[in-house]
Amino acid sequence: MLRRLVHAAVAARERTEAPAPGRWRLTGGEQDVLALLGQGLSNAEIAAELHLGVTTVKTHIANLMPKTGATNRVRLAVLAARELTERTED
């Protein structure tokens, strides 16, 4: 029984893995927010940097989560940081 439960959990996780960064179809605003999120900025800091409202930043972050497969802000920030690191290594 435990093996089946673990197998089902692993299979479910594999189905929800984030797509590769090149496959994300992001708007310009989403790309900007994602880049700053990857640098560790708060919503207020991102808003100030991009001259946007905090609500707009929150909307971009909410839209980014399903597009990237991130389940929360922390995972989204980790994905963003990884993408930034990969870009600078190229």
Side-chain angles (χ1 to χ4, degrees), residues 28-43:
E30 290 169 345
Q31 291 173 11
D32 294 341
V33 168
L34 186 61
L36 294 174
L37 185 63
Q39 294 175 25
L41 274 64
S42 69
N43 289 352

Side-chain angles (χ1 to χ4, degrees), residues 15 19 30 36-38 44-45 57 60 66 73:
R15 286 192 302 270
E30 290 169 345
L36 294 174
L37 185 63
E45 292 168 330
V57 172
H60 283 311
R73 180 191 171 90

Side-chain angles (χ1 to χ4, degrees), residues 46-76:
I46 293 169
E49 181 75 22
L50 298 177
H51 306 288
L52 299 172
V54 174
T55 303
T56 302
V57 172
K58 289 179 183 179
T59 300
H60 283 311
I61 290 171
N63 291 338
L64 282 162
M65 287 198 223
K67 288 183 177 185
T68 61
T71 54
N72 59 48
R73 180 191 171 90
V74 173
R75 288 182 187 230
L76 186 59

